[in-house]
């Protein structure tokens, strides 16, 4: 009987083809929105995870409140810094592979007789290579171990701080000492973990010469076993705070905890977007209900005939529910396909407009989201045709047969 | 209850509306129909003949009185139980054929069996057989819109016979078709009657009415047995 009911549903849909297509288009758009948004959300998640998971053995040690994803790269001038003793204590913790330090201090950058106050960041060439790649540069190169009096500067410093733009190879002065600009970071805008727009990067030796001391603002610690990251981070915090006799002198942040926080934010964004997209689906289900109600009206006589030749209320209901379901399933499948291809286009648009930072963003369509989309469309079909089907079923056969 | 009396009515009443708009379509109808009867019901329009047929066909429910179909008191049955009586015991033929327009002839006939849960292969085979019986084996896959009035009515007869009902009801089955096609329809119905089915036909055509074994006249909702001449 199912086959005959399907046949009947199919014939009725074909009989009212343009109306049916418009109805299932509504479902298709709703499902498309949901599928593509889930795919983009998953894609963002994967991109962020890939970006950061290579650093999952890394602990960032900062003076003060530490690293927050909302105050990226900002430097607080607490006046206090990590000491050589802190660093060697960290190196002695079992499981620690390597400790690199980042020096921070204020300096005056002079270019063609105008002065600008900048934050200087000192790190050795190894750390620099770990944190940045030459892909991040718009011109020039990162510093080599034997370089002297060379700096790498951020895009804002190069282009916005001075009346004339600074280019690679030009001379500037920092606190009176001569430096050559070896590289310029590209403009970062939104995205990326640590902002490089206002950075002045130099090697530790040069840093010490200008500032006169080693202001260790932060250290980057790598561990052997990723599973020990959290416990070693706690141990580092304890040791440093003990060294300085303060409860919250320094704080540590693991990259995996940053990752978790970013993922939580992405999850929230995705949930909100999908919720908004679901409105389209609600509208679509109203469309199905409308179409089915009209269909019931038009086929009053047909319903009467079916009841007269022995169809029970259940038989009639099944016929109409099946018809609504067929509409929404076809719509759902089309919507899923549109969503898969649409998300690719949307991502291309997103990356070219919003994200100037070079992230490899690919939509991720999981089997679960496809099953979910088709499942949701089936549910929508059944729910929205329940009332029309019930209306059809409760018709009195005699009135329905008499209906002209 | 004697099973040879396939239809029995006791003081069967049907009224429409209420208050001053109240219309008594049937007034205390008492009727006994034996198995294998061939009855025609005549009367002017609005006399209540279709109302009586719809009650017997379980399309409508009586206001008061009793109606027994093959011994079952259908006046107390629920909607779905009535549907099953319609499906298994009664074959209804309408003046306007009432075929499902989207389905072909064979699908229309098979649909009725589908509601009875007959398996697909058997349904198709029987539908083919029945259409052959009414002389439409060359029109199996035509839609109603591609058939003449007489042909459509023959499909309707095949559909009425689908679930092997003992009672065949016709509400002016020849009312919309020409005389020669109407004759074919009546011959088919008479053949069915000869095979043992009870046939009741509502008509206002006296020549068709006279072909029946019994003739019942309804006037103002009151039933009167009429002698069939010749």
């Amino acid at each position: 009987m199912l086959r005959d009911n399907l046949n009947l549903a199919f014939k009725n849909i074909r009989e009212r083809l343009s109306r049916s297509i418009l109805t299932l288009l509504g479902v298709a758009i709703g499902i498309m929105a949901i599928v593509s948004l889930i795919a983009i959300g998953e894609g963002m998640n994967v991109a962020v995870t890939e970006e950061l998971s290579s650093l999952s053995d890394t602990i960032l040690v900062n003076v003060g409140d530490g690293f927050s994803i909302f105050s990226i790269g900002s430097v607080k001038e607490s006046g206090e810094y990590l000491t050589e003793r802190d660093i060697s204590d960290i190196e002695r913790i079992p499981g620690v592979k390597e400790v690199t330090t980042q020096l921070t201090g204020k300096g005056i950058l002079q270019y063609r007789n105008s002065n600008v106050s900048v934050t200087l960041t000192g790190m050795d060439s190894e750390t620099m290579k770990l944190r940045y790649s030459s892909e991040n540069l718009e011109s020039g190169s990162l510093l080599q171990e034997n370089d002297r009096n060379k700096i790498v500067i951020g895009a804002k410093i190069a282009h916005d701080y001075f009346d004339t733009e600074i280019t690679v190879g030009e001379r500037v002065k920092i606190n009176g000492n001569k430096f050559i600009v070896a590289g310029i970071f590209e403009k970062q805008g939104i995205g990326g973990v640590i902002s490089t727009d206002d950075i002045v990067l130099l090697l530790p030796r040069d840093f010490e010469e200008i500032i006169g001391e080693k202001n260790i603002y932060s250290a980057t610690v790598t561990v052997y076993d990723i599973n020990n990251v959290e416990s070693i981070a706690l141990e580092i915090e304890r040791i440093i705070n003990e060294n300085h006799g303060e409860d919250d002198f320094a704080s540590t942040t693991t990259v995996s905890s940053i990752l978790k926080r970013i993922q939580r934010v992405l999850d929230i964004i995705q949930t909100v977007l999908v919720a908004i997209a679901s409105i389209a689906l609600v509208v679509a289900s109203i469309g199905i209900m409308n179409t089915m109600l009209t269909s019931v009206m038009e086929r009053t006589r047909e319903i009467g005939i079916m009841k007269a030749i022995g169809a029970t209320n259940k038989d009639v209901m099944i016929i109409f529910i099946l018809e609504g379901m067929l509409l929404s399933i076809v719509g759902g499948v089309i919507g899923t396909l549109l969503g898969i291809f649409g998300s690719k286009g949307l991502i291309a648009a997103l990356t070219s407009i919003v994200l100037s930072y070079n992230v490899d963003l690919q939509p991720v369509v999981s089997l679960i989201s496809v099953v979910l989309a088709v499942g949701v469309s089936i549910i929508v079909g059944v729910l929205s045709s329940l009332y029309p089907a019930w209306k059809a079923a409760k018709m009195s056969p005699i009135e329905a047969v008499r209906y002209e | 209850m004697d099973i040879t009396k396939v239809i029995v009515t006791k003081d069967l009443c049907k009224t429409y509306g209420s208050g001053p708009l109240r219309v008594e379509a049937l007034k205390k109808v008492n009727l006994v129909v034996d198995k294998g009867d061939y009855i025609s019901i005549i009367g002017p329009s609005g006399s209540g003949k279709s109302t009586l047929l719809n009650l017997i066909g379980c399309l409508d429910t009586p206001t008061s009185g009793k109606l027994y179909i093959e011994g079952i008191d259908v006046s107390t049955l629920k909607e779905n139980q009535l549907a099953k009586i319609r499906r298994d015991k009664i074959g209804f033929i309408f003046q306007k054929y009432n075929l499902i327009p989207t389905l072909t002839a064979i699908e229309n006939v098979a649909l009725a069996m589908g509601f009875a849960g007959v398996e697909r292969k058997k349904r198709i085979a029987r539908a083919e057989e029945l259409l052959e019986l009414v002389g439409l084996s060359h029109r199996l896959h035509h839609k109603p819109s591609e058939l003449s009035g007489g042909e459509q009515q023959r499909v309707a007869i095949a559909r009425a016979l689908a679930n092997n009902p003992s009672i065949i009801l016709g509400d002016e089955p020849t009312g919309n078709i020409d005389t020669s096609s109407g004759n074919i329809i009546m011959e088919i119905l008479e053949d069915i009657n000869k095979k043992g089915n009870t046939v009741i036909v509502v008509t206002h055509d006296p020549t068709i009415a006279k072909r029946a074994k019994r003739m019942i006249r309804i006037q103002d909702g009151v039933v009167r047995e009429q002698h069939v001449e010749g």
Side-chain angles (χ1 to χ4, degrees):
Chain A
M1 197 58 203
L2 182 73
R3 201 173 138 191
D4 295 73
N5 282 339
L6 272 176
N7 177 40
L8 195 65
F10 185 71
K11 282 186 171 172
N12 277 311
I13 287 171
R14 219 174 42 188
E15 194 78 4
R16 299 159 176 82
L17 196 59
S18 55
R19 192 201 301 162
S20 301
I21 287 174
L22 289 175
T23 306
L24 64 84
L25 206 62
V27 182
I29 290 169
I31 292 288
M32 178 187 79
I34 289 175
V35 168
S36 56
L37 284 174
I38 291 177
I40 290 169
E42 282 300 309
M44 280 173 140
N45 217 328
V46 167
V48 170
T49 307
E50 265 175 16
E51 188 100 330
L52 294 183
S53 62
S54 60
L55 299 171
S56 59
D57 61 348
T58 306
I59 302 167
L60 304 175
V61 185
N62 277 57
V63 177
D65 288 339
F67 187 89
S68 154
I69 53 166
F70 297 111
S71 59
I72 293 163
S74 70
V75 171
K76 252 183 266 155
E77 289 299 303
S78 59
E80 286 190 271
Y81 299 96
L82 296 175
T83 60
E84 294 284 356
R85 187 183 152 208
D86 293 331
I87 302 303
S88 55
D89 281 350
I90 294 171
E91 277 169 341
R92 243 176 274 132
I93 296 171
V96 169
K97 192 162 134 195
E98 199 176 16
V99 182
T100 55
T101 54
Q102 181 182 320
L103 312 172
T104 301
K106 284 280 180 193
I108 302 294
L109 183 68
Q110 189 186 17
Y111 176 63
R112 296 194 179 172
N113 296 325
S114 46
N115 294 322
V116 167
S117 169
V118 292
T119 301
L120 305 173
T121 304
M123 62 175 75
D124 59 43
S125 55
E126 283 297 309
T127 313
M128 211 178 284
K129 260 182 235 155
L130 198 76
R131 291 218 180 153
Y132 313 103
S133 74
S134 48
E135 279 174 36
N136 301 132
L137 296 178
E138 65 168 46
S139 58
S141 59
L142 291 173
L143 303 178
Q144 303 298 314
E145 205 188 327
N146 296 321
D147 281 341
R148 292 226 57 182
N149 292 335
K150 282 190 179 175
I151 55 170
V152 179
I153 58 174
K156 270 193 180 169
I157 295 177
H159 303 306
D160 303 339
Y161 279 25
F162 298 97
D163 294 338
T164 23
E165 296 197 2
I166 303 174
T167 54
V168 169
E170 287 196 78
R171 286 168 192 281
V172 295
K173 279 184 182 171
I174 300 173
N175 294 0
N177 299 46
K178 283 180 187 166
F179 281 89
I180 293 171
V181 175
I184 297 171
F185 282 104
E186 64 182 16
K187 193 164 171 56
Q188 202 169 25
I190 334 161
V193 180
I194 297 159
S195 172
T196 56
D197 285 350
D198 300 298
I199 209 166
V200 176
L201 264 186
L202 58 170
L203 294 172
R205 210 170 16 184
D206 291 335
F207 184 91
E208 271 185 75
E209 239 168 62
I210 300 168
I211 304 295
E213 54 184 337
K214 262 187 153 183
N215 292 341
I216 307 174
Y217 175 70
S218 69
T220 307
V221 182
T222 53
V223 300
Y224 286 108
D225 188 350
I226 295 169
N227 296 322
N228 295 334
V229 155
E230 297 295 337
S231 61
I232 291 176
L234 284 175
E235 181 67 8
I236 292 171
E237 237 173 81
R238 194 187 64 76
I239 288 175
I240 295 174
N241 288 339
E242 208 176 84
N243 284 349
H244 292 265
E246 278 177 49
D247 275 348
D248 49 3
F249 177 80
S251 60
T252 56
T253 314
T254 58
V255 171
S256 54
S257 73
I258 299 171
L259 185 61
K260 269 180 205 144
R261 268 182 277 171
I262 293 176
Q263 280 170 335
R264 208 179 307 147
V265 173
L266 283 178
D267 279 348
I268 292 168
I269 294 171
Q270 191 175 2
T271 308
V272 170
L273 287 177
V274 168
I276 293 168
S278 302
I279 295 172
L281 211 58
V282 172
V283 175
S285 83
I286 293 171
I288 294 180
M289 199 183 282
N290 190 18
T291 302
M292 293 308 295
L293 277 175
T294 316
S295 181
V296 167
M297 269 266 292
E298 285 173 349
R299 284 152 67 194
T300 299
R301 195 179 174 81
E302 203 176 306
I303 294 160
I305 297 164
M306 289 195 284
K307 293 193 99 175
I309 64 171
T312 58
N313 290 357
K314 202 176 104 192
D315 291 329
V316 174
M317 271 196 93
I318 288 173
I319 287 170
F320 281 90
I321 288 175
L322 218 57
E323 199 174 313
M325 230 168 82
L326 202 62
L327 275 178
S328 64
I329 290 176
V330 174
V333 170
I334 292 173
T336 305
L337 293 175
L338 285 176
I340 292 169
F341 295 114
S343 57
K344 289 215 165 94
L346 214 59
I347 285 235
L350 259 178
T351 41
S352 69
I353 296 166
V354 185
L355 300 168
S356 56
Y357 185 70
N358 192 18
V359 183
D360 185 27
L361 203 53
Q362 284 295 323
V364 177
V365 182
S366 62
L367 184 67
I368 294 171
S369 70
V370 171
V371 170
L372 196 80
V374 176
V376 164
S377 64
I378 291 173
I379 291 168
V380 163
V382 171
L383 285 184
S384 49
S385 51
L386 264 181
Y387 173 64
W390 175 78
K391 240 186 134 171
K394 69 163 192 157
M395 276 182 188
S396 130
I398 187 70
E399 276 164 33
V401 168
R402 276 203 205 118
Y403 185 87
E404 293 293 330
Chain B
M1 183 67 57
D2 192 345
I3 201 76
T4 61
K5 294 179 173 38
V6 284
I7 301 163
V8 176
T9 71
K10 276 188 181 154
D11 296 333
L12 197 64
C13 290
K14 181 70 186 179
T15 51
Y16 294 109
S18 58
L21 296 171
R22 197 174 136 96
V23 177
E24 287 187 70
L26 286 181
K27 295 169 190 163
K28 294 198 171 181
V29 171
N30 287 294
L31 192 68
V32 176
V33 179
D34 289 323
K35 189 168 166 54
D37 251 350
Y38 176 16
I39 302 175
S40 62
I41 302 175
I42 54 167
S45 43
S47 58
K49 52 187 195 307
S50 285
T51 303
L52 178 61
L53 201 72
N54 288 338
L55 285 178
I56 294 171
C58 295
L59 289 176
D60 212 350
T61 47
T63 311
S64 66
K66 290 280 179 198
L67 171 64
Y68 298 91
I69 305 285
E70 290 188 342
I72 301 163
D73 181 5
V74 298
S75 44
T76 60
L77 291 186
K78 297 249 159 48
E79 166 100 45
N80 276 335
Q81 294 168 306
L82 286 175
K84 281 174 185 148
I85 299 273
R86 290 196 292 268
R87 185 184 77 193
D88 300 331
K89 302 195 183 303
I90 291 158
F92 217 106
I93 301 158
F94 302 90
Q95 181 178 359
K96 287 178 181 163
Y97 333 125
N98 279 348
L99 300 174
I100 309 278
T102 45
L103 298 181
T104 62
I106 194 162
E107 285 169 341
N108 261 292
V109 179
L111 182 67
M113 287 181 269
F115 294 135
V118 178
E119 92 182 52
R120 190 178 162 82
K121 265 188 187 165
K122 283 186 187 164
R123 262 185 284 156
I124 300 295
R126 174 148 173 84
E128 222 176 307
E129 205 176 282
L130 287 167
L131 285 168
E132 205 179 313
L133 185 80
V134 297
L136 286 178
S137 45
H138 59 300
R139 291 275 191 271
L140 298 181
H141 303 292
H142 285 63
K143 284 190 177 177
S145 56
E146 299 158 351
L147 299 171
S148 73
E151 285 172 330
Q152 286 190 57
Q153 195 60 298
R154 281 189 273 164
V155 175
I157 293 173
R159 180 179 67 184
L161 292 171
N163 289 325
N164 241 329
S166 62
I167 304 163
I168 302 292
L169 305 175
D171 190 358
E172 310 231 20
T174 59
N176 266 21
I177 39 191
D178 61 89
T179 320
S180 64
S181 299
N183 270 329
I184 297 171
I185 299 294
M186 291 318 293
E187 274 162 26
I188 293 170
L189 287 177
E190 280 151 19
D191 277 344
I192 294 164
N193 173 245
K194 276 179 197 135
K195 284 173 189 160
N197 295 70
T198 310
V199 174
I200 304 176
V201 175
V202 164
T203 182
H204 55 246
D205 182 344
T207 52
I208 287 191
K210 278 174 194 158
R211 295 168 75 137
K213 293 178 194 163
R214 275 171 76 187
M215 202 153 84
I216 290 168
R217 174 178 289 277
I218 300 190
Q219 193 131 27
D220 297 326
V222 180
V223 164
R224 219 151 29 88
E225 193 89 15
Q226 193 109 0
H227 181 65
V228 183
E229 305 139 36

